[in-house]
Amino acid sequence: MAITSTIRPCCSHLLLSQIFPKYPYHFSKSRKYPNRYEVVAQAASTAQPLHPTLDPVPSTGLPTPILLHGLKPLEISPLLPFPEKSRTVDPVHHEPTPRTETVAEREAWKLLNRAVVNYCGKPVGTVAAADAGAFKGELLNYDQVFIRDFMPSALAFLLKGDTEIVRNFLLHTLQLQSWEKTVDCHSPGQGLMPASFKVRAAPIDGNASGEEEVLDPDFGESAIGRVAPVDSGLWWIILLRAYGKITGDFSLLERVDVQTGIKLILKLCLSDGFDMFPTLLVTDGSCMIDRRMGIHGHPLEIQSLFYSALRCAREMLTFNGGSADLIRAIKNRLSALSFHIREYYWVDLQKLNEIYRYKTEEYSQNATNKFNIYPEQIPDWLVDWIPNRGGYLIGNVQPAHMDFRFFSLGNLWAIVSSLTTPKQAEGILSLIEEKWDDLIGTMPLKISYPALESDEWRIITGSDPKNTPWSYHNGGSWPTLLWQFTLACIKMGRPDLAQRAISTAEKRLLDDNWPEYYDTPTSRFVGKQSRLYQTWTIAGFLTSKLLLEKPELASILTFEEDNELLEGCACRLSHNGRTRCSRQTAKSQLLGKRA
Ligand code: GLC
């Protein structure tokens, strides 16, 4: 097992260090891929120059939106520095009046700042957990900066007006992107982003006594299960857009290395394979649920993040001859993906009844039961559980297989990115409201529902002692999901629901020292192996509070319905002779039909 992607940062600067703040540690003669300098140099020579001198940041700091396809900065002034005491508007005098931070907020900010990781004297991320006393000091990899875990930290900092750490994070993780790595003689795709990285001290070459800091990434080669983190690159793209929108610093987005980074991630995701579906095919555990949980194939979480990242990338890619094909491919994939998810992942009472009456073994292009689902797959729990009103996107759809479990992150992110129809989005929130005790209970939010038990647990998790029923990924409750819930509620005009969930969590999180997760069907216990002082629990809470206070800033992450994408899919279906191609068809097909 070898990985050669450590970055040594604090060394002399080459010409290209103007593009990359730092350069990589190892240069191997036998490497399979061109290194990042070569990739970028190549891109720079074929693309229209963005900035003729390749100067990384034009000093004006003014946004230059003409180069980007569709990204717009926020219309409101985004970065009014938040004072120590946040502000609310006094309804009588219309004057901002200071709102005193709660005890939990004060404590959370203290802990979040303490979790910051520095590299060469600059903040670059936050550790996953700062629980020194945990499990006899056994840190596993909780002392690392995880890409996905940093999302709520990044947002808390951005919403508070502190942008430097996010910018540093984006650029340093970019350097780590799939850098000449091999795992047991195999090289994963070049655009892969690491799951996490660590700052460690390493001896300086030729100086026996000296040490310097290096960045050490983990692409899954050390992670339990050795799974590649497919979600990392998607989160990176989503964060890049959020950073661009809130700061207006489009110069960062237009940099050749950043544009190349986006394209490498997209290349991995959009490459042709054996797939019949527009959904992204991945192995088990390639996202937040990073252990075996029966989510291989086309899990919802990855599809929602994929859709969101594609929409972000479409806005951020710069205009030049080379990007036209890519932008077309993105648009086609977006149309097909939303059609597929809206049509085949959605269940409500009516759809369930349809599945219940499915005929099987239909051989034809016009089959109703396209994936040959046997109605016996409808689990007993769902028959009673599905409410009369509302519905949700199921966890996975594959040939002869529907995973009917409810996965929170995928459903919430489908709302945020407009992967669902507006009506479906409303339906998901109303299901959550209806099933509040099951999904939120005494601690928001269940990661998945219900738990796998008995034989299912043995077969599907491989008897995983950490994922026992109603624990950890298997029906545990993860307070970090609060910020994604808040975001979805704001998007759908239901901040009251988010407020209710936050109030449930606030005091308990503080009293319990910010656990990573809770166990039992009603989340009554702190999780069996849960870390305390888990950073994304802390940051998720703060981000939720900040978003509720400035709901207009939610738009740095959300997307509205895009009729052009709807038309794209309806038109292509019409070419199969099935429907007429028009804006009206698109709407009725994807908005009106079922939900
Ligand atoms: C666990 C979680 C994963 C998270 C990591 C660090 O492995 O499953 O989603 O990124 O811990 O907190």
Side-chain angles (χ1 to χ4, degrees), residues 128 142 146 148-149 287-290 472-473 478 516 534 536:
Y142 283 89
F146 277 74
R148 71 175 76 86
D149 292 42
C287 50
M288 176 182 180
I289 296 179
D290 55 1
Y472 202 45
H473 301 137
W478 290 65
E516 180 187 16
Q534 181 80 18
W536 68 353

Side-chain angles (χ1 to χ4, degrees), residues 16 45 80 88 133 172 268 277 333 360 380 401 453 465 534 554:
L16 278 161
S45 68
L80 287 175
T88 52
H172 282 299
L268 266 188
F277 308 142
R333 191 64 171 258
T360 54
D380 291 344
H401 172 67
E453 304 193 65
Q534 181 80 18

Side-chain angles (χ1 to χ4, degrees), residues 415-416 421-427 429 486-495:
I415 298 177
V416 169
T421 65
K423 206 161 162 215
Q424 288 173 339
E426 266 170 37
L429 275 198
T486 304
L487 197 56
C489 290
I490 291 174
K491 161 115 193 273
M492 299 309 297
R494 293 297 311 271

Side-chain angles (χ1 to χ4, degrees), residues 182-477:
T182 54
V183 181
D184 289 343
C185 312
H186 174 70
S187 302
Q190 206 183 355
L192 188 66
M193 281 276 183
S196 59
F197 66 85
K198 191 181 165 110
V199 179
R200 71 175 167 82
I204 298 176
D205 294 345
N207 175 353
S209 57
E211 277 193 340
E212 63 182 346
E213 286 183 342
V214 295
L215 285 187
D216 216 350
D218 176 9
F219 289 90
E221 80 285 358
S222 309
I224 293 159
R226 304 288 187 263
V227 179
V230 177
D231 64 339
S232 289
L234 307 175
W235 281 125
W236 185 86
I237 290 180
I238 294 168
L239 182 59
L240 184 65
R241 171 182 181 259
Y243 170 88
K245 272 188 91 81
I246 203 164
T247 60
D249 175 10
F250 290 163
S251 59
L252 181 96
L253 276 55
E254 290 165 7
R255 280 171 52 151
V256 181
D257 56 341
V258 172
Q259 288 285 316
T260 305
I262 301 174
K263 286 179 189 163
L264 287 177
I265 296 169
L266 294 179
K267 203 169 153 218
L268 266 188
C269 297
L270 296 173
S271 60
D272 291 335
F274 291 103
D275 265 318
M276 297 292 281
F277 308 142
T279 34
L280 202 58
L281 180 63
V282 296
T283 54
D284 212 343
S286 59
C287 50
M288 176 182 180
I289 296 179
D290 55 1
R291 296 163 79 93
R292 190 173 149 193
M293 266 293 287
I295 56 162
H296 51 275
H298 303 96
L300 178 66
E301 172 169 339
I302 289 288
Q303 313 316 323
S304 297
L305 294 177
F306 180 36
Y307 183 81
S308 188
L310 285 179
R311 289 203 63 175
C312 294
R314 183 167 169 240
E315 283 186 359
M316 292 189 296
L317 284 169
T318 50
F319 279 110
N320 65 45
S323 61
D325 285 349
L326 183 57
I327 301 218
R328 204 168 306 120
I330 292 175
K331 194 178 148 216
N332 290 343
R333 191 64 171 258
L334 280 168
S335 298
L337 185 58
S338 65
F339 178 83
H340 187 88
I341 297 283
R342 291 168 181 205
E343 193 71 15
Y344 306 124
Y345 279 61
W346 177 254
V347 293
D348 53 15
L349 188 60
Q350 186 195 337
K351 177 71 182 285
L352 213 53
N353 205 159
E354 265 172 46
I355 299 171
Y356 178 72
R357 290 164 53 79
Y358 266 169
K359 291 186 188 52
T360 54
E361 322 292 336
E362 289 179 278
Y363 180 83
S364 85
Q365 292 219 355
N366 300 323
T368 315
N369 181 5
K370 290 202 179 61
F371 308 113
N372 200 35
I373 305 296
Y374 298 102
E376 289 71 16
Q377 276 180 37
I378 298 175
D380 291 344
W381 65 266
L382 186 56
V383 177
D384 295 327
W385 196 75
I386 194 84
N388 290 336
R389 217 164 51 90
Y392 67 102
L393 298 172
I394 62 172
N396 215 324
V397 175
Q398 312 214 64
H401 172 67
M402 283 180 131
D403 180 346
F404 286 97
R405 281 175 293 171
F406 176 89
F407 289 89
S408 294
L409 202 160
N411 271 284
L412 295 176
W413 213 258
I415 298 177
V416 169
S417 62
S418 280
L419 171 58
T420 56
T421 65
K423 206 161 162 215
Q424 288 173 339
E426 266 170 37
I428 295 170
L429 275 198
S430 79
L431 176 130
I432 295 178
E433 200 176 1
E434 188 103 359
K435 299 290 168 187
W436 193 266
D437 291 346
D438 291 334
L439 301 176
I440 306 233
T442 57
M443 178 52 66
L445 209 67
K446 280 267 180 310
I447 194 168
S448 59
Y449 181 90
L452 299 168
E453 304 193 65
S454 312
D455 281 348
E456 269 195 330
W457 166 74
R458 260 189 296 281
I459 295 165
I460 296 176
T461 72
S463 303
D464 185 345
K466 206 167 172 186
N467 274 334
T468 49
W470 305 108
S471 181
Y472 202 45
H473 301 137
N474 188 13
S477 297

